Amino acid sequence: MAGLREWAAEFGADFYKCFIKDDRYQLLLSGIGVTIRVSLIAVAIGILIGFLIALCNLSNKKLLRALGGIYTDIIRGTPSVTQLMLIYFVIFAAVGIPKWIIAGIAFGVNSGAYVSEIIRAGILSVDKGQTEAGRSLGLNGQQTMIHIVIPQAVKNIFPALCNEFIVLIKETAIVGYVGLMDIQKAGDFIKSATWNAFMPLFGTAVIYYVLIKLLTIAFKKVEERLRKSEVR
C-alpha cells in the first residue's frame, strides 16, 4: 500500500507539473482545435478530389484515365510528410494563408488519392442493372450516375470514408514539421519544458484515443441509420 501511495503521489505531482502548472493544458486544448480544423478541411478536400479522380479513372477517355492514374501513383508513392513540406515550403511559400489551412490542403491532396479508390470501388460495386434501369427510364448517363448509382455507392463506401477520416486525425500528428501546434506538438512542447516524457506522451495518446472513439461511435450510429433506411 505504501508503494501504491508513493506512485499515486508521484503521478499526481507529474500530472500537475505537466498539465496544470503554467496552464499547460491550454496548449493541448489549442492543439485539439488545430487537429480538428485541419482534419475537417482535409476530409472535405479529399472527398472532392477523390470523387473527381474516381470519375477520371472510370472514364472511357484515355487521357482522363491517365491523369487519374498518374495522380494516384504519385500521391500514394510518396510520404505524406514530404507532400506536406513541399506544399507548405514550396507551393504556398509566398502566399499569406494560415498554416492550418495549408496543412489541411496538403492532407486533402494526400487523402484524395485514397478516397478516389474507395469511391471507384463503391461505384463499381453497384449492380450494372441499376444503370440499365436508369437508362430505360429515360435518364442520360450523368443523371443515372447522380440519382441512382452514387446514392447507392455512398452507403457502400460510408464505412471506408469514416475510416479514412479517422486515419487523417492520426496523420495530422506530423503538422509540427511546419510549425503548427497540434496535439502532438503540444505534447512535445510540454515534454521539453518539464523534462518528463511519460506524462505528455500518455496525455496525447489519451486525447487521440478519446477523439477517435467518439468519432467511431458517431459514425456507427449514422451507418446504422443508413442501413435501416436501406431495409425500408
Side-chain angles (χ1 to χ4, degrees), residues 63-121:
L63 177 61
L64 291 179
R65 289 204 307 273
L67 291 175
I70 291 171
Y71 172 83
T72 304
D73 287 343
I74 292 175
I75 297 300
R76 295 174 67 179
T78 54
S80 56
V81 64
T82 303
Q83 297 165 17
L84 172 63
M85 290 192 289
L86 180 65
I87 290 175
Y88 181 81
F89 291 111
V90 179
I91 297 177
F92 288 99
V95 180
I97 300 177
K99 292 181 179 181
W100 65 273
I101 294 180
I102 298 176
I105 294 172
F107 285 108
V109 170
N110 177 269
S111 179
Y114 298 93
V115 172
S116 68
E117 290 300 295
I118 294 173
I119 295 176
R120 184 181 67 86

Side-chain angles (χ1 to χ4, degrees), residues 50-60 64 119 123 145 150:
F51 180 73
L52 295 176
I53 297 300
L55 292 182
C56 288
N57 291 333
L58 293 171
S59 174
N60 294 325
L64 291 179
I119 295 176
I123 292 175
M145 178 66 70
I150 291 179

